[in-house]
Amino acid sequence: MLPFAPWAVRSLIAVLLSTAFAWGAPPSAPAATSPVRAAVARSLTLDPSQGPPGSRVGVHGHGFIRCTTDGLPAEIDITGNGGDSLGVVTADADGEFATDITVPSGATAGDYGVTALCRANSKVRATADFQVVPAPVPTALALDPAQGAVGASVAVTGSGFAGCTADEGRAGTVALTWDGSPLPGVTPAEVTVDGGAFTARFAVPSDADATDHTVTATCVGHEQISAGQRFTVTDAPGPQPEVTLDPPSSASGGGTVAVSGSGFDCPEVALSWEGKQWTTVAPSADGTFGTAFDVAPDTAEASYTVRASCTDDPGVGAEAAFTVTGGAPVPPTPTPPTPTPPAPPTPTPTPAPTDGPVPVGLVVGSSLLGAALLALAGSAFLSHRHRGPRWVEDHLGSRLRPAPAVTEVAEPSETGPPTRSVRLEPHPDPGDQTLEEDP
């Protein structure tokens, strides 16, 4: 062995021993302990999370492990807005619970807070919000009238159809059926829902039996939204349509004619002249209507048919005849009466001569005849004299006008032309005038 070997061995042993003392004894294994449970966050969940007042809601709580009294689970109060008591529950060993509550019927639309609060430890609590929505209005259908005869017009009113919508939020439409079959003649043809409501009219089908029938309104595309109502068809016949024209006829040259109707139990009436429709009218609730039309001036003399019929059932209607006559009669021109010429004087018979003595009557008659002749001769003589003012006023008249002088007054004669005449000539402001008789 080398001389320095013992010294090296001793140095190595010293180093190893010093290292052992510096490090100390090796650590012992840790003693076994019980597992520690991780804390769970408290929470409250609601199912469903929204609904109308009176909804039944499931409540599920988590993290209520510290809600205990003397190591036993403590009671947990479930309350709503304003401190409404909705129920009492206890959590299990894991701090969970589940229960059901009812949202109060008086809850207003909006957020409704639901709280779970531990009675033993007020710090152990959780809250969740329930969204209260307005209660849905039930669908309903009303018919006016609820009974009637075949062809009767019925008004339909629907409500509670707020969920009846079309694509992109547009207003939806409803379809009306009669005993499950499409109902023809509905006005309007496409019934649109406005604000959850609608109105329409229909005529009772002509083939309906006198019994109870069901009218149903169904949302197109949302068949689960519907409502029905019963309608009773009666045996009593409805009012018969009638049409009246005033006047019923007129002379050629045109004119205006009033048209009135009754007994039209339908929403719309079409009016036609000789089969050609010219307008439509809507009768009132009692089935009457009134309108007018003009007859063309060149309408020929003839009888024409004016018809009024329901547009949804053309077989229901009435007709009236209108007659165009010839021109109005021309009143006759009055003919002046023909003057009757005076009868010629009857000649006086001359008595035949006799040979005997002259009768007294002949003498007296001759005397009277002589007196009459003398009177006539005096009258003729006096007629050549000037007339007095009174005679002139009674027999003469005059007037001024811008015209040549004419003969205005003539004295007639029984046997020939006039024997005397008066000629008047107008002059401006002539002053006093004197009329003289021509010789």
Side-chain angles (χ1 to χ4, degrees), residues 358-383:
V358 178
V360 176
L362 179 59
V363 176
V364 176
S366 300
S367 300
L368 293 177
L369 178 60
L373 293 175
L374 290 175
L376 289 174
S379 175
F381 174 78
L382 293 177
S383 63

Side-chain angles (χ1 to χ4, degrees), residues 74-436:
E75 292 182 338
I76 301 172
D77 289 324
I78 309 298
T79 59
N81 282 355
D84 298 332
S85 179
L86 304 178
V88 178
V89 69
T90 56
D92 58 14
D94 295 328
E96 298 183 9
F97 68 85
T99 187
D100 290 336
I101 63 170
T102 300
V103 178
S105 59
T108 58
D111 292 336
Y112 183 82
V114 178
T115 301
L117 176 63
C118 179
R119 290 183 178 180
N121 186 354
S122 60
K123 294 182 179 181
V124 180
R125 58 184 299 167
T127 301
D129 286 332
F130 181 82
Q131 187 69 28
V132 179
V133 298
V137 178
T139 57
L141 199 67
L143 304 179
D144 184 23
Q147 64 178 8
V150 169
S153 179
V154 183
V156 185
T157 303
S159 60
F161 285 77
C164 183
T165 58
D167 296 337
E168 300 178 358
R170 293 180 291 108
T173 58
V174 297
L176 299 179
T177 59
W178 176 273
D179 291 339
S181 300
L183 187 58
V186 178
T187 305
E190 183 174 325
V191 184
T192 304
V193 176
D194 183 9
F198 68 87
T199 58
R201 297 185 72 90
F202 72 89
V204 177
S206 57
D207 58 350
D209 297 331
T211 184
D212 291 340
H213 301 268
T214 301
V215 178
T216 305
T218 304
C219 178
V220 177
H222 301 274
E223 284 69 19
Q224 72 278 9
I225 303 176
S226 65
Q229 188 58 265
R230 183 180 65 182
F231 184 87
T232 303
V233 177
T234 61
D235 290 327
Q240 299 301 312
E242 293 183 1
V243 175
T244 303
L245 304 179
D246 184 20
S249 64
S250 69
S252 299
T256 301
V257 181
V259 185
S260 59
S262 61
F264 286 87
D265 195 7
C266 55
E268 188 178 54
V269 174
L271 298 175
S272 61
W273 170 279
E274 287 294 299
K276 184 178 181 180
Q277 179 178 326
W278 86 81
T279 189
T280 59
V281 294
S284 58
D286 60 357
T288 62
F289 70 84
T291 185
F293 68 91
D294 294 328
V295 179
D298 58 351
T299 303
E301 297 182 35
S303 179
Y304 299 89
T305 300
V306 177
R307 179 173 176 79
S309 58
C310 295
T311 55
D312 55 5
D313 190 356
V316 178
E319 297 178 350
F322 182 80
T323 304
V324 176
T325 61
V330 178
T333 303
T335 303
T338 303
T340 303
T346 304
T348 303
T350 303
T354 60
D355 296 333
V358 178
V360 176
L362 179 59
V363 176
V364 176
S366 300
S367 300
L368 293 177
L369 178 60
L373 293 175
L374 290 175
L376 289 174
S379 175
F381 174 78
L382 293 177
S383 63
H384 291 281
R385 302 179 61 187
H386 294 289
R387 306 293 185 181
R390 179 174 299 178
W391 185 93
V392 174
E393 291 178 1
D394 294 339
H395 294 80
L396 300 181
S398 64
R399 59 180 178 179
L400 296 179
R401 63 181 180 182
V406 296
T407 300
E408 289 287 343
V409 179
E411 182 178 1
S413 173
E414 296 181 356
T415 60
T419 59
R420 293 175 179 81
S421 64
V422 177
R423 181 182 180 86
L424 300 179
E425 296 184 6
H427 298 277
D429 193 15
D432 295 336
Q433 296 185 13
T434 302
L435 299 178
E436 294 184 0

